[in-house]
């Protein structure tokens, strides 16, 4: 089982490895885990795959979380691995800490994570606790180090990410007269990040996440 083999079998499912590391006792991973993989959507194509799934149109709650579990859990089981999911909780698994430990995601100037490939559009569908240590490729550089203008810092019309995430300021704006842009095409802060431009995240996918964050 090599990194390349794992990545290519995930990509066939429109998923990708967004980071990986060899855990220490401080990482709160399942017993026996020798490598933790962080899994995210593989673009382009992820959204089209999800849209034709039964979960997308069955009208039941949490369609994307249910899709993730149906697809990722068996993939893990046949590799003697354990799948963990970010929305299972509380208590929630420490995905933000794991992401930082992977060396491929950093705390951005607006506090949310920024990723070397997905920029501020990073989100994780699952983590996989593997029982074997696999060789990992080197991580990329932090995109903020070469981003001189830092447009994320001024993109939110109500400064909701200036300090701690001000969820009520964000939602008031979303539900006011000017909130449609964020609701229909995604958070302006996340969209403004140049690091995520090559990561083909579709506006309709962002609209789906915004509707689940702020149901109308
Ligand atoms: C609960 C939760 C939320 C709550 C936060 C409640 C609060 N702040 O009071 C709400 C519902 C508001 C939320 C919103 C979003 N979240 Co959220 N959330 C989580 C979750 C499931 C658990 C976090 C937690 O409570 N941990 C336990 C406590 C003890 O640890 P903590 O570090 O103090 O947790 C804090 C932070 O996680 C923070 N937080 C959570 N989400 C976000 C998003 C942003 C933008 C910021 C700045 C902070 C933040 O709030 C937590 C409580 O204070 C994590 C998954 C996970 N397992 O970590 C995802 C997670 C952190 N969220 C994520 C995402 C993508 C979002 C959204 C952007 C979703 C969207 N719309 O697409 C939105 C933000 C809306 C926007 N502007 O676009 C991503 C990370 C994104 C990133 N780049 O850093 C995670 C890792 C989920 C994933 N599947 O990848 N979220
Ligand atoms: S806009 Fe620039 S500074 Fe802000 S998160 Fe993206 S790369 Fe980093
Ligand atoms: S969704 Fe809109 S209002 Fe909320 S944090 Fe992002 S830019 Fe600000």
């Amino acid at each position: 089982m090599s990194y390349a083999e794992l990545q290519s079998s995930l990509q066939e499912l429109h998923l990708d490895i967004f980071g990986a590391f060899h855990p220490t006792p401080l990482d709160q991973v399942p017993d026996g885990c020798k490598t933790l993989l962080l899994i995210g959507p593989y673009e382009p194509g992820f959204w089209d795959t999800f849209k034709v799934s039964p979960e997308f149109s069955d009208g039941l709650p949490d369609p994307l979380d249910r899709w993730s579990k149906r697809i990722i859990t068996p993939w893990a089981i046949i590799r003697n691995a354990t799948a963990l999911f970010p929305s299972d909780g509380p208590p929630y698994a420490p995905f933000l800490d794991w992401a930082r430990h992977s060396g491929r995601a950093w705390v951005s100037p607006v506090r949310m994570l920024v990723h070397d490939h997905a920029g501020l559009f990073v989100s994780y569908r699952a983590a996989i606790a593997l029982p074997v240590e696999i060789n990992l490729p080197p991580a990329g550089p932090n995109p903020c180090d070469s981003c001189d203008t830092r447009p994320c810092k001024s993109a939110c019309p109500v400064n909701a990410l200036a300090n701690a995430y001000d969820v009520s300021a964000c939602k008031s704006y979303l539900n006011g007269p000017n909130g449609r842009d964020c609701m229909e095409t995604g958070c302006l802060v996340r969209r403004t990040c140049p690091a995520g431009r090559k990561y083909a995240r579709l506006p309709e996918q962002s609209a789906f996440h915004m509707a689940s964050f702020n149901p109308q």
Side-chain angles (χ1 to χ4, degrees):
M1 190 158 42
S2 70
Y3 184 94
E5 284 162 358
L6 293 166
Q7 184 173 42
S8 113
S9 71
L10 284 164
Q11 288 180 346
E12 284 169 20
L13 304 170
H14 288 282
L15 294 163
D16 204 356
I17 301 176
F18 267 33
F21 62 92
H22 301 133
T24 71
L26 297 175
D27 283 310
Q28 298 177 57
V29 298
D31 286 347
C33 172
K34 301 275 177 47
T35 306
L36 194 85
L37 304 178
L38 292 165
I39 309 299
Y42 181 47
E43 303 285 9
F46 172 79
W47 189 245
D48 287 341
T49 302
F50 171 59
K51 259 176 58 176
V52 297
S53 72
E55 289 86 359
F56 182 77
S57 46
D58 65 14
L60 297 171
D62 306 323
L64 189 50
D65 290 341
R66 288 186 291 113
W67 178 89
S68 302
K69 288 183 177 178
R70 178 171 63 80
I71 300 294
I72 298 170
T73 304
W75 186 95
I77 287 172
I78 60 172
R79 289 165 179 82
N80 292 321
T82 305
L84 304 133
F85 297 92
S87 306
D88 280 354
Y92 295 106
F95 271 77
L96 299 175
D97 294 335
W98 290 343
R100 286 197 299 268
H101 193 160
S102 76
R104 291 190 56 194
W106 300 265
V107 177
S108 71
V110 284
R111 287 173 31 94
M112 75 173 104
L113 292 181
V114 60
H115 185 257
D116 59 5
H117 177 59
L120 290 179
F121 274 128
V122 64
S123 75
Y124 300 95
R125 298 280 15 116
I128 307 284
L130 289 171
V132 287
E133 188 166 317
I134 56 164
N135 288 330
L136 303 176
N142 179 344
C144 304
D145 290 345
S146 54
C147 180
D148 295 333
T149 54
R150 307 211 151 193
C152 58
K153 289 179 78 173
S154 52
C156 176
V158 288
N159 251 342
L161 297 167
N163 297 305
Y165 179 27
D166 189 342
V167 179
S168 59
C170 171
K171 286 197 173 178
S172 302
Y173 180 80
L174 295 176
N175 295 324
N178 302 314
R180 295 190 70 81
D181 186 27
C182 289
M183 283 302 295
E184 288 171 5
T185 37
C187 173
L188 271 161
V189 176
R190 299 181 87 191
R191 276 190 281 148
T192 202
C193 174
R197 297 250 162 85
K198 56 192 178 307
Y199 181 63
R201 162 78 95 97
L202 293 174
E204 74 177 275
Q205 183 177 348
S206 291
F208 168 91
H209 289 294
M210 293 306 291
S212 106
F213 166 61
N214 182 45
Q216 299 289 295

